[in-house]
Amino acid sequence: MKKIFYTLTTCFLIGFNSFAQENQDTYQPRTTTFFSDVQFGGGLGLAFGSGFTNIAVSPMALKPITEQFSAGLGLQFNYLKSKGFYESTSYGANILGIYSPAEMIQLSGELEQLRVNNTWTDLPSASYTTQNFWNTALFLGAGYTNQNVTIGIRYNVLYKESDLVYNQAWMPFIRVFF
């Protein structure tokens, strides 16, 4: 048993030494920093109407891990107000994983954690109902990519109608990274 171990170890070391000597001239030290290939993007939304306001900001950073896989982190803030009826503020963070099996196809998984603060107003009686909670969403999506823009659809596998964060499990998305 010892002879087999020594023989295998010797063969491995000889092979590794031979490989290292062959590739010694082609080794190039990495000259990039961690942040040199990080892409930045996210979303910005503004909507105003008669007694209605919606402001959404969601910056994100994405780091390529391999040629086909990227991972990123993001922050989210959303404010919604319907005068005399409803007001909601949500904020949180998300983790995004993107896999591109082909140049124009993008598959994604996104875990989102939001703190949600809702207030309903009943003007005639001047009473308020508040609800504050944490909401977790797990989106699985697919999209079509053209250069740095992806258009697609995603599905929240943890969707519950009673959460009062999203009105449905299916959501279209547009993702832009620079």
Side-chain angles (χ1 to χ4, degrees):
M1 186 70 157
K2 285 183 182 181
K3 286 182 182 183
I4 294 172
F5 176 74
Y6 289 129
T7 304
L8 290 175
T9 304
T10 304
C11 289
F12 173 75
L13 290 175
I14 290 171
F16 181 75
N17 188 32
S18 170
F19 174 78
Q21 286 177 359
E22 285 178 21
N23 293 310
Q24 190 172 10
D25 296 334
T26 61
Y27 173 73
Q28 300 266 339
R30 185 175 174 146
T31 58
T32 61
T33 64
F34 178 81
F35 291 103
S36 65
D37 56 354
V38 171
Q39 297 174 305
F40 295 96
L44 176 64
L46 299 171
F48 300 98
S50 179
F52 179 81
T53 304
N54 187 8
I55 302 168
V57 180
S58 56
M60 184 169 272
L62 189 69
K63 170 80 173 161
I65 307 299
T66 67
E67 199 164 305
Q68 293 180 312
F69 180 74
S70 300
L73 298 172
L75 299 173
Q76 291 190 21
F77 173 80
N78 190 47
Y79 174 77
L80 176 82
K81 182 174 184 176
S82 181
K83 189 175 182 182
F85 175 67
Y86 178 75
E87 186 172 354
S88 177
T89 304
S90 60
Y91 53 89
N94 59 333
I95 299 171
L96 175 67
I98 295 176
Y99 176 69
S100 300
E103 188 176 335
M104 292 191 268
I105 298 172
Q106 188 180 94
L107 305 174
S108 62
E110 184 174 358
L111 180 64
E112 172 185 276
Q113 182 70 47
L114 293 177
R115 178 65 179 175
V116 181
N117 303 306
N118 295 331
T119 303
W120 289 269
T121 308
D122 182 15
L123 284 181
S125 65
S127 64
Y128 297 95
T129 303
T130 61
Q131 185 180 39
N132 302 312
F133 59 94
W134 287 98
N135 185 71
T136 304
L138 176 60
F139 294 100
L140 300 179
Y144 170 79
T145 301
N146 189 357
Q147 295 181 349
N148 61 339
V149 178
T150 303
I151 298 172
I153 188 121
R154 62 187 190 163
Y155 180 77
N156 182 359
V157 297
L158 301 178
Y159 173 76
K160 294 178 194 165
E161 198 170 316
S162 62
D163 283 343
L164 301 173
V165 177
Y166 298 109
N167 63 352
Q168 61 183 355
W170 290 98
M171 295 179 65
F173 69 85
I174 298 175
R175 218 177 259 138
V176 180
F177 284 100
F178 300 98

